[in-house]
Amino acid sequence: MENRKQTVCFRAVLFCLIAMFLWQPCKVTAKKQTPAAAHGRLAVKGADLVDAKGRKFQLRGVSTHGINWDVGYPYINKEAFQTLRDDWGANAVRLAMYTSEYNGYCSGGNQRELKNQIAKGVQYATELGMYVIIDWHILSDGNPNTHIKEAKQFFAEMSRTYRKQKNVIYEICNEPNGCDWKNIKSYANQVIKTIRKNDKKAIIVVGTPTWSQLGLDGTHNEVADSPIKGYRNIMYALHFYANEWSHNAYLPAKLTYARKKGLPVMVTEFGMSDASGNGRISTANTGKWLKRLDQANVSYFCWSLTNKNESSALLAPGSRKTGNWKQKDLSKAGRYIRKEYRRRR
């Protein structure tokens, strides 16, 4: 009887050792399967974003608020990005660096510190295997040519620094406004040329007229009708806010038209609120948009990762946590986006 117990015990120990041995490779493999590890360098194929194996791929990301003031930069930390990846199911982040507002890069801001914030954001995203957009966030400056000299210097430095990385995307003008596609196109051609001197393959996203709505007004489609020529891996920004009547009335048709024309579109910013970032949020319209974008394989980034007291903020006003958020730390918009992203991962 004693020998039998010893045999059973020996077999149990042996089984555990074998199980531990077999489990180790699985754990290592799982650790490697971050979004960037699984999909590699992204590219544009026709109207679609594809991964390194040529398969259609969709980015689902979150944008920071402006990293040049205290409602944005506290959330550039590894814990925050890891929470977005592991809990929310996001595979990308967007680093919004304003050029004019609030001591922006071109309006008296500390350029060295702003570039340091970018460097930290790219580092954390890279360590976590996430994709990351470096966003030249023009807004009140309107015409991107206003600061084209600074833009070319900035993107020359960024593209030299990150030329060997496969997860970095450049957004060269957030929301052009008060200018036409001809002006934006002239700017884009110069900045794209600057980037391509250093980085031949990275995705570059170009902002479009009227706060990135693919044209001057609801019926214009000049971007799809006259895209930039001579470069690969170029995409075009579309922004929408789900509680804006005009965005729901006109932009779906413009997106459909762009796709039919073969224009690769990325929604680098959307919100559930009014375009101001405030007002009522619309879960119904947001749900319709996300379904539409999923069906069209269009990537999207939600605005914004902040505790600012506005309805588009994903964190509850006054929340002090900068990562590892619980439900109580999230705003109504944050709880909805987290739920929808988790459902899609």
Side-chain angles (χ1 to χ4, degrees):
M1 187 68 176
E2 189 65 32
N3 288 340
R4 185 178 176 185
K5 287 182 178 179
Q6 290 176 348
T7 301
V8 171
C9 183
F10 173 77
R11 287 178 176 174
V13 171
L14 182 62
F15 176 80
C16 289
L17 289 171
I18 291 171
M20 288 172 64
F21 176 78
L22 292 174
W23 175 244
Q24 284 303 112
C26 295
K27 286 168 64 180
V28 172
T29 301
K31 286 181 180 179
K32 289 184 178 178
Q33 292 307 300
T34 62
H39 296 279
R41 183 184 290 279
L42 306 180
V44 175
K45 184 177 181 181
D48 287 302
L49 185 67
V50 298
D51 69 8
K53 295 182 180 179
R55 301 171 299 193
K56 289 183 180 181
F57 183 69
Q58 188 183 39
L59 294 169
R60 286 189 300 275
V62 171
S63 177
T64 68
H65 208 296
I67 65 172
N68 41 310
W69 76 95
D70 61 1
V71 295
Y73 68 73
Y75 306 101
I76 300 179
N77 68 79
K78 194 170 183 178
E79 184 184 47
F81 291 3
Q82 187 162 0
T83 304
L84 293 175
R85 186 193 70 177
D86 296 347
D87 183 49
W88 292 39
N91 56 18
V93 292
R94 176 184 187 239
L95 307 174
M97 187 186 72
Y98 279 77
T99 50
S100 283
E101 287 81 4
Y102 308 100
N103 294 314
Y105 191 86
C106 302
S107 59
N110 187 325
Q111 294 185 357
R112 178 179 296 180
E113 178 56 29
L114 289 170
K115 286 188 286 190
N116 183 52
Q117 294 291 350
I118 293 287
K120 290 194 298 183
V122 174
Q123 176 188 336
Y124 300 143
T126 302
E127 290 172 354
L128 293 165
M130 302 175 76
Y131 296 94
V132 55
I133 292 180
I134 298 174
D135 165 33
W136 185 254
H137 201 89
I138 72 164
L139 188 60
S140 65
D141 27 351
N143 189 328
N145 290 290
T146 302
H147 296 299
I148 190 169
K149 179 181 177 181
E150 294 94 330
K152 290 165 72 172
Q153 291 172 343
F154 176 81
F155 283 109
E157 182 176 347
M158 293 298 107
S159 58
R160 282 195 304 269
T161 302
Y162 301 116
R163 65 186 183 277
K164 294 183 179 180
Q165 292 197 203
K166 299 179 180 180
N167 64 323
V168 175
I169 297 168
Y170 303 104
E171 183 176 4
I172 62 174
C173 50
N174 165 61
E175 288 187 349
N177 58 89
C179 59
D180 60 18
W181 177 230
K182 182 178 179 181
N183 276 278
I184 301 166
K185 200 172 179 182
S186 171
Y187 164 88
N189 273 304
Q190 295 178 66
V191 176
I192 291 169
K193 184 178 180 180
T194 298
I195 293 172
R196 287 291 182 248
K197 287 179 180 178
N198 301 311
D199 191 331
K200 307 297 183 185
K201 297 180 179 180
I203 302 291
I204 299 173
V205 185
V206 181
T208 59
T210 319
W211 296 280
S212 284
Q213 294 180 40
L214 299 177
L216 279 177
D217 62 26
T219 60
H220 281 69
N221 296 287
E222 62 269 28
V223 179
D225 289 336
S226 180
I228 293 165
K229 302 290 186 181
Y231 298 100
R232 299 179 64 184
N233 293 336
I234 306 300
M235 302 189 77
Y236 301 85
L238 170 64
H239 292 181
F240 72 86
Y241 278 79
N243 201 43
E244 287 286 339
W245 176 85
S246 62
H247 292 193
N248 297 305
Y250 298 118
L251 297 186
K254 296 180 79 169
L255 175 61
T256 299
Y257 182 87
R259 295 282 298 175
K260 286 182 178 179
K261 295 283 286 188
L263 192 80
V265 174
M266 183 183 292
V267 175
T268 52
E269 181 179 317
F270 78 90
M272 298 181 66
S273 65
D274 300 345
S276 67
N278 229 324
R280 190 177 70 87
I281 66 170
S282 175
T283 56
N285 288 333
T286 302
K288 291 176 183 177
W289 267 106
L290 295 185
K291 182 178 180 180
R292 180 182 297 122
L293 298 175
D294 289 340
Q295 291 174 341
N297 187 47
V298 173
S299 300
Y300 44 83
F301 290 74
C302 186
W303 181 268
S304 68
L305 188 61
T306 183
N307 67 349
K308 187 178 180 182
N309 188 20
E310 61 183 16
S311 51
S312 61
L314 298 175
L315 304 178
S319 171
R320 295 184 178 183
K321 294 186 70 173
T322 57
N324 194 27
W325 304 287
K326 308 302 180 187
Q327 285 282 81
K328 65 180 181 180
D329 302 310
L330 306 180
S331 66
K332 182 178 179 180
R335 291 192 296 272
Y336 179 87
I337 293 298
R338 175 180 178 270
K339 180 189 72 172
E340 291 299 311
Y341 278 26
R342 284 172 64 88
R343 193 163 63 84
R344 287 165 168 79
R345 64 181 174 180

